[in-house]
Amino acid sequence: MQHQEQEKKDQAFFNEQKEKVTLYLKHNIPDFNTVTFTNEEFNPIGISIDGYINNDKNLSFTAGKDVKIFSSSEELDKMFQEPRKGYDEIIEKEETSLEMPRKKTKSIDEILSDLKSYEDQIITRNKI
């Protein structure tokens, strides 16, 4: 039972890492279409995730945790746009672009508070 729980945690971890690799590839390779993962494993220096893109095994790569380490075949290496964006840079940019609309939206409580304030102002003006 404990072994199954650990396997689920490991698989969730690798799924998260695969999403990070996919995002990294999407942002750095203009001709990116698909990714196929072929191997995932824990090793003495961390983890490694192997795969290839666009259904072409010549476009292969190996990635480490959080895409801090990334090596690719010569063919794939030629497809990267320069300068390459690191995973952290990509995430930072996406979070910034997602946060801007959030600052403009108000919660229901804030809207109700504003309406109450406007109502009080109208009542005060009409009394005078």
Side-chain angles (χ1 to χ4, degrees), residues 15-28:
N15 287 342
E16 178 184 336
Q17 293 302 310
K18 288 176 183 178
E19 288 177 20
K20 291 177 179 184
V21 170
T22 303
L23 188 66
Y24 174 78
L25 293 167
K26 282 181 183 178
H27 279 81
N28 284 298

Side-chain angles (χ1 to χ4, degrees), residues 10-94:
D10 290 349
Q11 191 57 53
F13 171 78
F14 277 112
N15 287 342
E16 178 184 336
Q17 293 302 310
K18 288 176 183 178
E19 288 177 20
K20 291 177 179 184
V21 170
T22 303
L23 188 66
Y24 174 78
L25 293 167
K26 282 181 183 178
H27 279 81
N28 284 298
I29 300 177
D31 296 331
F32 173 82
N33 292 314
T34 62
V35 62
T36 303
F37 295 102
T38 57
N39 188 42
E40 57 194 42
E41 65 182 9
F42 290 101
N43 57 42
I45 59 168
I47 68 159
S48 68
I49 298 174
D50 302 323
Y52 54 92
I53 70 164
N54 299 348
N55 299 314
D56 185 345
K57 292 182 179 181
N58 293 318
L59 303 175
S60 62
F61 63 86
T62 299
K65 183 177 182 219
D66 296 334
V67 201
K68 299 285 185 204
I69 299 172
F70 190 89
S71 62
S72 56
S73 66
E74 191 174 322
E75 293 88 350
L76 180 57
D77 203 43
K78 292 176 187 175
M79 295 177 71
F80 276 88
Q81 65 186 14
E82 297 296 338
R84 292 185 191 188
K85 296 176 188 161
Y87 174 75
D88 292 336
E89 181 183 352
I90 294 166
I91 288 300
E92 185 177 300
K93 187 175 181 178
E94 282 193 354

Side-chain angles (χ1 to χ4, degrees), residues 78-120:
K78 292 176 187 175
M79 295 177 71
F80 276 88
Q81 65 186 14
E82 297 296 338
R84 292 185 191 188
K85 296 176 188 161
Y87 174 75
D88 292 336
E89 181 183 352
I90 294 166
I91 288 300
E92 185 177 300
K93 187 175 181 178
E94 282 193 354
E95 286 176 351
T96 302
S97 66
L98 291 176
E99 285 176 7
M100 293 173 83
R102 288 186 190 151
K103 291 178 182 176
K104 294 178 183 176
T105 59
K106 293 183 179 182
S107 70
I108 291 174
D109 290 336
E110 290 171 320
I111 293 169
L112 290 173
S113 176
D114 287 347
L115 289 173
K116 178 68 176 145
S117 175
Y118 296 141
E119 180 183 47
D120 290 343

